[in-house]
Amino acid sequence: MQTYTAPLRDMRFVLHELHQSPPLPGTEEFTPELLDTVLEEAGKFCTEVLLPINASGDEEGCHYENGIVRTPKGFKEAYKAFSEAGWGALNADPKYGGQGLPETVAKLVEEMICASNISFGLYPGLSHGAYVALKSHGSEELKDFYLPKLVSGEWSGTMCLTEPHCGTDLGLLRTKAVPQGDGSYKLTGSKIFISAGEHDMSENIIHLVLARLPDAPAGVKGISLFLVPKFLPDENGRPGAGNGVSCAAIEHKMGIKASATCQMNFDDATGWLVGAPHKGMQAMFVMMNSERLSVGTQGLGIGEAAYQGAVAYARDRLQGRSLAGAKYPDKPADPIIVHPDIRRNLMTIRAYNEGCRALGIWVAGIMDVAERSENPKEKAEAEEFIAVLTPVVKALFTDLGFESANLAVQTYGGHGYIRDHGMEQLVRDSRIAMIYEGTNGIQALDLVGRKIPANMGRGLRRFFHPVAAFIEENQNDPAIGKLVQGFARAFGALQLATGFVAEKALKDAEEAGAAATDYLRLFGLVALGFMWMRTAKIAARKAMLPGPDHEFYKAKLATARFFAERILPQAGALLFTIKSGKASLMALEDDAF
């Protein structure tokens, strides 16, 4: 049986203590008390409405018949309750019916949704991705008509990118769009792996589709973006005649089985251009930063659910005696939580989760700056920071989420491998997040190939400079100085690796490619380390104070030490791996494999 309770105390710590900052324009009314209430209510909704249909949704899956997709029992009702409560409108613009809450709060709510029912979360998640792209590049007419319905949840959205013959290499796509002379276009082509492409939860589905105009240049420079509704709206703005859009099949998947992953056909479907001709990738990149953080949040949500399940089991499961002598002599055996290797599992997951939550909300806060700041310089610097950190967040969080789910299964032993406790579902559900929205290998190539060299490394300095300043300020601190000195060595490894990758990439792109995945992991561990050092600084001071939160801050300090002593030293090994170069990796001829 799956259990989950939103980690509200840690969320409040990250939101109000670790990343406290002055309100941005449009957020002045959102007091800490109000934000806490939003998080509490979201936690209740996820626990009471979404969690109970998670395992059953996985067991039943989606149903496909004659082009129609039905979601599992309870999903339609949950979606209606979700939309009516306004959960899909949290961080949307009030102009279109949204609540205008900060991205930081929305991402914490996303984490709760992913922890309790990741399959369900993909439906509103795809709608928000479509909202972001349309809001950024759509005409005022399209935005005024479609965005309120996407925000309310009356209509849902998708992003139709991938085709059967091309995945990440969108330059190969073949879907075509022919202008009709009245401002509309006719689209013809096929898309695959379209999450929420067809379902029974909203009255219309708005597809954002990448396609080529007749005069399109070759490659990615010839891609345009189009809005294609499932049903063409009538004169009253209601779903009218069916468009040339159909679902040919749904995928039978390893995980996220309650999410409809569809093969979509467009047969002379009517659509409208979003943004300028041949500029569809610009709209995609705006959406991708938000989506990469969201997919990373999926990894974090799975990690939190895994942690809570593993802790509950480790407290209850009796087996063996503590190596230091019986800890519970009144029982026939000690609970397995006393054993060092079980502790290693639990502390690793805990350190990953709390570090990722802190890092994710830091990035989300910078996204708020990029969206809301009225200072052009501040906005530009925020966008540079986001560009560098989003591939790290997407890849690192999803890698660690999958690792955490596996550690939770290991904690359960055989009971984790069977379906009764829901742990094996977490492993299956978490695996896809390492693949979609750009595989983690692609994220690593993006980081080393595009983000590091961009603007002469200026984006990288948005991260490096505050880290260096923190080390300089705190390395001799009586309470956390030793932790900071260890962190400084890991940061030094990252600096050396960055120099190595930058130098090699100028001469040989394969050298950068060979280093990419290890470099991203090194970058990610240092970024988590920075969050843990900042956390330790706060916790060291507050743990000395009496009160109900004393144990909370003590646990924060203990977890920070665990991360610094047991996880962060991996930085040294990663540096050696990176500096070994491409030779052994590329040594075999293709036919030798």
Side-chain angles (χ1 to χ4, degrees):
M1 181 177 177
Q2 295 170 337
T3 61
Y4 172 73
T5 302
L8 295 173
R9 180 63 188 91
D10 196 57
M11 290 180 169
R12 291 196 300 269
F13 169 80
V14 170
L15 195 61
H16 303 315
E17 298 177 67
L18 187 62
H19 297 312
Q20 57 179 231
S21 57
L24 289 161
T27 67
E28 296 87 352
E29 65 183 289
F30 301 127
T31 64
E33 293 75 19
L34 175 60
L35 298 181
D36 288 349
T37 299
V38 170
L39 295 177
E40 288 167 12
E41 292 303 313
K44 290 178 185 177
F45 184 88
C46 290
T47 300
E48 296 171 5
V49 179
L50 299 186
L51 183 66
I53 58 172
N54 187 38
S56 60
D58 175 69
E59 188 75 33
E60 180 183 350
C62 291
H63 305 272
Y64 174 83
E65 186 176 2
N66 298 324
I68 303 298
V69 174
R70 290 183 292 108
T71 50
K73 181 180 179 181
F75 270 59
K76 192 172 183 178
E77 294 78 10
Y79 181 83
K80 184 174 186 291
F82 181 92
S83 299
E84 289 177 349
W87 293 117
L90 281 185
N91 55 335
D93 191 331
K95 178 180 179 181
Y96 304 110
Q99 299 172 38
L101 282 158
E103 189 72 20
T104 50
V105 175
K107 283 294 177 280
L108 290 172
V109 174
E110 276 188 43
E111 181 199 324
M112 298 181 203
I113 295 168
C114 295
S116 54
N117 195 325
I118 192 171
S119 286
F120 177 91
L122 287 170
Y123 294 96
L126 266 296
S127 293
H128 186 71
Y131 163 87
V132 170
L134 184 57
K135 181 176 182 290
S136 300
H137 288 272
S139 67
E140 291 303 317
E141 183 180 8
L142 287 177
K143 291 192 289 187
D144 290 343
F145 185 83
Y146 286 98
L147 289 183
K149 296 181 185 298
L150 283 173
V151 169
S152 70
E154 292 175 76
W155 297 359
S156 60
T158 75
M159 306 300 297
C160 296
L161 285 67
T162 304
E163 298 186 2
H165 59 281
C166 68
T168 301
D169 190 356
L170 293 173
L172 298 176
L173 70 81
R174 297 172 185 159
T175 299
K176 63 181 182 179
V178 179
Q180 299 300 295
D182 61 355
S184 70
Y185 296 78
K186 291 292 186 181
L187 278 79
T188 302
S190 297
K191 302 286 184 176
I192 61 169
F193 302 157
I194 307 307
S195 298
E198 165 63 20
H199 58 83
D200 58 354
M201 299 197 297
S202 63
E203 62 182 21
N204 203 356
I205 301 174
I206 309 307
H207 303 284
L208 290 190
V209 185
L210 290 181
R212 293 187 180 281
L213 292 167
D215 61 344
V220 293
K221 294 182 179 179
I223 297 174
S224 301
L225 181 66
F226 299 87
L227 183 153
V228 183
K230 175 183 176 182
F231 297 107
L232 293 168
D234 62 21
E235 62 275 9
N236 298 314
R238 307 302 302 169
N243 204 353
V245 180
S246 62
C247 177
I250 57 174
E251 304 295 350
H252 301 283
K253 311 185 296 291
M254 173 181 177
I256 56 168
K257 294 185 175 183
S259 169
T261 305
C262 302
Q263 300 173 23
M264 302 298 300
N265 290 334
F266 298 87
D267 300 300
D268 276 342
T270 299
W272 290 267
L273 183 67
V274 176
H278 318 313
K279 301 296 183 183
M281 292 306 294
Q282 292 183 2
M284 287 296 99
F285 281 126
V286 170
M287 177 275 295
M288 280 180 182
N289 279 335
S290 174
E291 287 299 291
R292 284 174 176 178
L293 179 53
S294 290
V295 174
T297 301
Q298 293 175 18
L300 170 56
I302 290 286
E304 182 61 37
Y307 177 73
Q308 293 190 22
V311 168
Y313 185 80
R315 285 173 173 158
D316 290 342
R317 172 71 168 172
L318 303 181
Q319 189 164 308
R321 287 295 186 186
S322 165
L323 298 176
K327 295 289 182 70
Y328 295 81
D330 57 320
K331 296 181 178 181
D334 286 335
I336 63 173
I337 200 168
V338 305
H339 301 310
D341 198 58
I342 297 297
R343 290 293 188 103
R344 179 186 61 84
N345 292 344
L346 299 181
M347 288 298 291
T348 298
I349 306 173
R350 182 188 182 107
Y352 285 165
N353 289 346
E354 294 183 15
C356 287
R357 184 174 297 119
L359 180 58
I361 297 309
W362 188 31
V363 175
I366 303 299
M367 285 184 171
D368 279 323
V369 173
E371 174 71 19
R372 299 172 186 263
S373 175
E374 296 171 350
N375 182 323
K377 181 175 182 292
E378 191 174 53
K379 287 174 73 76
E381 291 176 352
E383 287 167 357
E384 290 173 347
F385 176 92
I386 292 164
V388 171
L389 266 293
T390 48
V392 176
V393 165
K394 190 277 179 184
L396 181 75
F397 287 23
T398 56
D399 280 350
L400 299 186
F402 182 66
E403 184 180 334
S404 294
N406 278 284
L407 287 172
V409 167
Q410 195 69 21
T411 301
Y412 274 79
H415 289 284
Y417 194 69
I418 62 175
R419 304 194 71 168
D420 299 36
H421 295 279
M423 288 295 107
E424 58 84 35
Q425 182 188 346
L426 297 181
V427 175
R428 291 185 290 104
D429 284 352
S430 65
R431 189 60 184 85
I432 184 59
M434 302 163 73
I435 298 170
Y436 57 24
E437 204 58 47
T439 66
N440 289 357
I442 292 294
Q443 304 299 324
L445 288 172
D446 178 48
L447 179 64
V448 302
R450 295 176 57 202
K451 302 305 173 56
I452 290 177
N455 300 314
M456 302 297 292
R458 196 169 62 210
L460 207 59
R461 293 195 291 272
R462 304 293 174 212
F463 174 78
F464 277 34
H465 285 180
V467 172
F470 181 91
I471 292 171
E472 179 66 25
E473 181 183 340
N474 294 282
Q475 59 188 340
N476 295 316
D477 183 285
I480 65 166
K482 288 186 178 179
L483 289 180
V484 175
Q485 290 162 23
F487 171 64
R489 289 190 289 273
F491 180 53
L494 176 60
Q495 291 173 304
L496 290 171
T498 302
F500 176 85
V501 170
E503 178 186 356
K504 292 290 184 180
L506 292 173
K507 302 172 184 176
D508 185 348
E510 281 189 344
E511 285 284 5
T517 292
D518 295 306
Y519 179 82
L520 186 145
R521 174 58 70 101
L522 173 56
F523 197 125
L525 290 180
V526 171
L528 293 187
F530 185 39
M531 295 299 98
W532 274 116
M533 293 306 105
R534 289 178 54 190
T535 294
K537 183 175 182 178
I538 296 169
R541 175 171 51 86
K542 294 193 174 182
M544 304 296 291
L545 304 175
D549 283 338
H550 175 71
E551 293 300 322
F552 173 82
Y553 293 114
K554 272 183 61 180
K556 277 291 184 190
L557 267 179
T559 311
R561 290 194 185 100
F562 175 86
F563 183 87
E565 295 173 1
R566 304 283 302 202
I567 297 176
L568 197 53
Q570 295 171 23
L574 288 165
L575 175 60
F576 283 121
T577 303
I578 291 165
K579 294 186 74 172
S580 71
K582 73 171 188 178
S584 61
L585 199 156
M586 305 299 292
L588 292 183
E589 297 295 331
D590 294 355
D591 292 343
F593 282 93

